[in-house]
């Protein structure tokens, strides 16, 4: 049970930090400028 | 039995209470700070490195790789914040092997504080990357109608972060308490 608890804690820490990274990535994402069609 | 570590009071003086959550949070912070100072004391850039430095480099490069895979450019810029979050939550769980220890992440106060850190950090990193105007413009994309929805999503995801971690860390103790509470209704004496 202790090992399972440690694994759960590790997974929770991973999820929390990855979600924080995803939110930061969403806030820092810049859209690429649209390319003008070649004439 | 107590459901939250906030209920265990170590010391009280008037309105000021020193509960288990505060005590163990500061203990963890001291442990992480002292550990960081110890493991980075004798770092070398040469070919001969200690096994502890190798382990540290594996952990740090793993974190950088994970942050990069999420889609962040220059992952090293975010390593300090995200790595600290990861290590704090992980250390809070790993210390449960110590008898008498209560993880501070089992308290909604701690998880809400961590989620608030993310809530503050996200716009700061966004402004640093795009500038204030560019970041504020992202709220009205693709149309102005989305402004309110974007604001709601900012608030709701902070709440979700706090409640998710709290729920997962407390679920074990909570389930036992709920079972003990409803047992007399199921099996009346």
């Amino acid at each position: 049970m202790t090992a399972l608890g440690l694994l759960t804690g590790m997974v929770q820490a991973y999820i929390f930090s990855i979600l924080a990274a995803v939110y930061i990535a969403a806030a820092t994402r810049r859209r690429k400028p649209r390319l003008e069609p070649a004439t | 039995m107590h459901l939250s570590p906030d209920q265990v009071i170590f010391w009280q003086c008037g309105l000021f209470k020193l509960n288990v959550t505060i005590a163990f949070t500061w203990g963890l912070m001291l442990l992480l700070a002292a550990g960081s100072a110890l493991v980075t004391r004798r770092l070398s850039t040469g070919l001969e490195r200690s096994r502890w430095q190798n382990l540290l480099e594996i952990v740090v490069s793993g974190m950088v790789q994970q942050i990069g895979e999420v889609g962040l450019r220059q992952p090293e810029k975010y390593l300090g914040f995200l790595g600290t979050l990861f290590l704090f939550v992980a250390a809070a769980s790993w210390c449960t092997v110590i008898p008498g220890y209560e993880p501070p992440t089992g308290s909604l106060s701690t998880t809400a504080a961590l989620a608030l850190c993310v809530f503050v950090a996200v716009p700061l990193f966004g402004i640093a990357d795009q500038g204030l105007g560019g970041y504020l413009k992202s709220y009205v994309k693709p149309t102005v109608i989305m402004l309110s929805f974007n604001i709601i999503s900012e608030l709701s995801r902070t709440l979700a972060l706090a409640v998710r971690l709290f729920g997962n860390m407390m679920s074990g103790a909570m389930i036992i308490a709920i079972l003990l509470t409803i047992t007399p209704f199921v099996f009346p004496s």
Side-chain angles (χ1 to χ4, degrees), chain B residues 31-163:
Chain B
L31 185 75
L32 287 174
S36 303
L38 275 176
V39 297
T40 55
R41 198 175 41 171
R42 290 177 187 168
L43 295 181
S44 75
T45 53
L47 289 176
E48 286 188 14
R49 296 173 187 178
S50 66
R51 65 178 68 170
W52 290 109
Q53 184 173 345
N54 281 329
L55 179 68
L56 186 68
E57 287 185 9
I58 288 170
V59 172
V60 172
S61 55
M63 284 180 187
V64 170
Q65 191 184 352
Q66 286 292 324
I67 294 168
E69 281 176 10
V70 168
L72 285 166
R73 287 166 294 173
Q74 300 174 321
E76 292 83 7
K77 208 166 78 175
Y78 311 98
L79 179 67
F81 178 67
L82 294 172
T84 307
L85 272 182
F86 173 77
L87 285 178
F88 180 80
V89 179
S93 303
W94 292 338
C95 286
T96 48
V97 294
I98 301 169
Y101 172 83
E102 293 273 350
T105 42
S107 162
L108 191 58
S109 317
T110 308
T111 56
L114 292 172
L116 277 177
C117 290
V118 177
F119 179 70
V120 173
V122 167
L124 287 181
F125 282 123
I127 291 167
D129 191 64
Q130 307 183 53
L132 183 62
Y135 177 72
L136 290 178
K137 272 183 192 169
S138 68
Y139 278 91
V140 291
K141 283 180 182 174
T143 63
V144 183
I145 302 166
M146 295 304 289
L147 175 67
S148 54
F149 294 102
N150 283 328
I151 293 170
I152 290 169
S153 82
E154 286 279 337
L155 298 172
S156 63
R157 73 188 183 193
T158 305
L159 184 71
L161 260 186
V163 174

